[in-house]
Amino acid sequence: MKVSVVGTGYVGLVTGACLAEMGNDVLCLDVDPNKIRILEEGGIPIHEPGLDLVVARNVKAGRLSFTTDVAKAVAHGTIQFIAVGTPPDEDGSADLQYVLAAARNIGRLMTDYKVVVDKSTVPVGTADKVREAVADELAKRGSDAKFAVVSNPEFLKEGAAVDDFMRPDRIVVGADDEQAILLMRALYAPFQRNHERLVVMDVRSAELTKYAANAMLATRISFMNELALLAEKMGADIEQVRVGIGSDPRIGTHFLYAGCGYGGSCFPKDVKALIKTASDEGQELKVLKAVEAANDRQKLVLVDKIVKRFGEDLQGKHFALWGLAFKPNTDDMREATSRVVLAELFKRGATVTAYDPVAMTETQRIFGDEPRLKYADSPNAALEGADALVIVTEWKEFRSPDFDRIKATLKTPTIIDGRNLYDPRLVAAAGLDYDAIGRGLNVAK
Ligand SMILES: NC(=O)c1ccc[n+]([C@@H]2O[C@H](COP(=O)([O-])OP(=O)(O)OC[C@H]3O[C@@H](n4cnc5c(N)ncnc54)[C@H](O)[C@@H]3O)[C@@H](O)[C@H]2O)c1
């Protein structure tokens, strides 16, 4: 099948590469010439495990190519995926300018039947706006070319995006056009050979499904984070509580980890957008408002712990920071907790040496020449001269450190762990102070 993907970011590039892997002829479009240049030169503009191999294989086979030429992209695919960003607008709603610009381009240039697929996360009612934008452009030039609009939200996780796309839990298709549904079924058939995973529903339900999924996941995190704060006060251990409740199949073990707040390009903006959608309809989403407020507070929890130990004035204090990305296996820094932690530490006069396996370049782009921030080329190198170690992202390489070395290197042998990576007994046995999230039994009083 001939497929065009508009927007070659985390979602668009993975979608394009994985569809090419199944034998489709895919052209990925982006307005960012730099991104397209990197891809054309054989590079990958983002860090996503396994993506480089899939891209290289399919480029070589002639099934995957890249362009900045809008007309070429519109002419190419019968199926036109829109996978551009939908960042939060000032009022919290999803900014649809990129989605609608992509839709207008399709309407302006198409000459034959197109299935326009909204893969970006978009509020309920966006498919209608996309339909209007395409129809408006067709009407302007008196074209009667036919098209359908489909909602096909994406559920992949950054850091495991290729695996998630190749082996999806479900593929949601919101559509009312029979021909479009048939095409979508054919396109996704290779991804669900052992059992049917395609769920066809009406367009609005599909649009809401994506927000409902992210809102539920964010709720689980904020719920556990609030309980963790309580556990600390009560002398209980949230990790034991997690195991205790997760074994109930109605609750389940996944996504129940307390930590230092959720970030990334999806949960924060999608929670905000759903709250705004509801308020536009005159409904207050009380639970989600609390989820958001709890997360804002949780992003400060590491700073609170640092201040408790070292005081409000951190002039002359130096911290080692392990992990910058909003989660492991990605270089994505959007809404990352590390950004809040760094800003708060700098505000109080502290300096930091950070280490992250892949997100240091992106951090440098964000923080520029910030003199209070240095980078190390290994976790141990980051410890040199530091008063304490602060852990923000749960990268695998942080999971079994040499505690003796950490104790010998830090000025105050303290680990402040935002991801509950260690057994507090082991850390204590090594002679280190350990302050993690919700581990009340082990917090140094
Ligand atoms: N990142 C994720 O994990 C994830 C998961 C599921 C859904 N989503 C949703 O998918 C959408 C895309 O997210 P992302 O993380 O891939 O964003 P991204 O910022 O990585 O990529 C978006 C790309 O679109 C390009 N673009 C913007 N306007 C364009 C236009 N008119 N024509 C062509 N290209 C254009 C940008 O240059 C950028 O490269 C968002 O709605 C997001 O909420 C993201």
Side-chain angles (χ1 to χ4, degrees):
M1 232 178 269
K2 286 193 138 196
V3 178
S4 297
V5 182
V6 187
T8 310
Y10 285 89
V11 168
L13 184 56
V14 171
T15 300
C18 293
L19 289 173
E21 180 80 352
M22 294 302 185
N24 296 292
D25 178 2
V26 181
L27 179 59
C28 289
L29 168 77
D30 207 284
V31 286
D32 181 349
N34 195 35
K35 222 169 237 189
I36 296 301
R37 183 187 50 75
I38 294 171
L39 286 160
E40 281 180 332
E41 288 171 357
I44 300 281
I46 53 170
H47 176 86
E48 191 55 58
L51 184 59
D52 49 352
L53 295 180
V54 185
V55 168
R57 190 161 49 235
N58 286 283
V59 167
K60 192 163 172 233
R63 289 187 296 260
L64 179 63
S65 50
F66 309 99
T67 189
T68 53
D69 183 340
V70 176
K72 197 171 155 197
V74 175
H76 179 83
T78 304
I79 299 183
Q80 301 269 325
F81 277 99
I82 299 182
V84 299
T86 46
D89 222 336
E90 272 160 27
D91 61 1
S93 62
D95 180 352
L96 292 179
Q97 62 167 309
Y98 307 106
V99 170
L100 296 177
R104 286 204 170 269
N105 282 340
I106 296 169
R108 195 162 51 82
L109 295 161
M110 63 183 267
T111 53
D112 53 359
Y113 178 73
K114 301 286 180 198
V115 179
V116 181
V117 184
D118 290 341
K119 189 161 259 318
S120 299
T121 302
V122 289
V124 176
T126 301
D128 293 338
K129 292 184 180 161
V130 166
R131 196 174 294 115
E132 277 163 30
V134 177
D136 186 45
E137 291 296 332
L138 288 172
K140 276 187 199 164
R141 56 190 176 95
S143 166
D144 62 354
K146 300 277 174 280
F147 71 98
V149 177
V150 169
S151 165
N152 171 220
E154 182 50 58
F155 298 97
L156 63 76
K157 301 183 287 295
E158 276 177 31
V162 173
D163 263 7
D164 285 352
F165 198 97
M166 297 304 264
R167 279 177 282 279
D169 301 321
R170 78 298 210 187
I171 301 155
V172 170
V173 170
D176 45 23
D177 178 294
E178 282 309 318
Q179 190 181 352
I181 294 171
L182 273 179
L183 281 171
M184 294 303 282
R185 277 194 194 284
L187 186 69
Y188 279 116
F191 297 92
Q192 41 173 350
R193 282 171 61 83
N194 64 351
H195 73 262
E196 175 79 20
R197 293 190 171 87
L198 199 101
V199 188
V200 178
M201 57 178 78
D202 68 85
V203 176
R204 286 178 169 249
S205 301
E207 290 172 333
L208 187 54
T209 297
K210 173 65 193 177
Y211 283 98
N214 276 358
M216 170 65 92
L217 294 171
T219 302
R220 281 171 77 94
I221 296 176
S222 275
F223 174 78
M224 288 306 283
N225 284 342
E226 286 217 297
L227 277 193
L229 295 183
L230 181 63
E232 257 174 47
K233 293 201 172 80
M234 309 295 291
D237 180 359
I238 196 69
E239 289 302 319
Q240 296 181 43
V241 176
R242 177 177 65 77
V243 175
I245 61 171
S247 46
D248 181 334
R250 291 170 304 175
I251 296 172
T253 50
H254 294 293
F255 242 79
L256 268 191
Y257 294 91
C260 50
Y262 63 74
S265 67
C266 293
F267 289 180
K269 85 168 166 58
D270 293 350
V271 165
K272 253 190 202 13
L274 190 53
I275 291 171
K276 178 69 171 67
T277 300
S279 104
D280 288 347
E281 294 299 319
Q283 190 189 335
E284 190 186 10
L285 291 183
K286 293 183 178 150
V287 172
L288 269 197
K289 280 187 166 175
V291 165
E292 189 180 38
N295 193 58
D296 289 345
R297 179 178 61 182
Q298 199 68 14
K299 282 185 166 179
L300 292 168
V301 86
L302 292 176
V303 179
D304 292 344
K305 287 175 185 294
I306 292 168
V307 166
K308 200 171 110 197
R309 278 157 192 277
F310 296 95
E312 199 43 66
D313 180 6
L314 296 175
Q315 208 74 37
K317 295 286 178 228
H318 183 69
F319 296 95
L321 196 130
W322 283 3
L324 292 159
F326 88 90
K327 68 172 182 180
N329 301 321
T330 181
D331 58 349
D332 200 337
M333 287 290 293
R334 289 177 282 188
E335 304 274 344
T337 295
S338 66
R339 296 171 73 148
V340 176
V341 172
L342 287 171
E344 291 292 325
L345 291 180
F346 297 155
K347 208 164 79 188
R348 290 171 176 81
T351 53
V352 172
T353 299
Y355 169 77
D356 187 287
V358 301
M360 293 196 287
T361 311
E362 184 60 8
T363 310
Q364 225 153 1
R365 197 184 61 75
I366 294 162
F367 281 88
D369 295 332
E370 169 58 63
R372 290 163 292 191
L373 178 57
K374 300 272 178 285
Y375 301 92
D377 56 12
S378 71
N380 284 331
L383 302 171
E384 298 295 332
D387 288 280
L389 166 63
V390 183
I391 302 177
V392 187
T393 317
E394 65 274 36
W395 284 95
K396 282 210 179 84
E397 65 183 274
F398 302 154
R399 291 191 185 182
S400 298
D402 179 346
F403 289 119
D404 293 336
R405 183 166 178 174
I406 295 177
K407 177 162 193 277
T409 315
L410 293 175
K411 288 186 202 155
T412 327
T414 301
I415 301 179
I416 298 173
D417 177 3
R419 299 296 173 187
N420 289 355
L421 292 187
Y422 311 124
D423 180 338
R425 287 164 302 191
L426 279 181
V427 191
L432 282 145
D433 262 354
Y434 183 54
D435 195 350
I437 308 292
R439 315 209 72 173
L441 295 173
N442 310 294
V443 173
K445 292 279 187 285

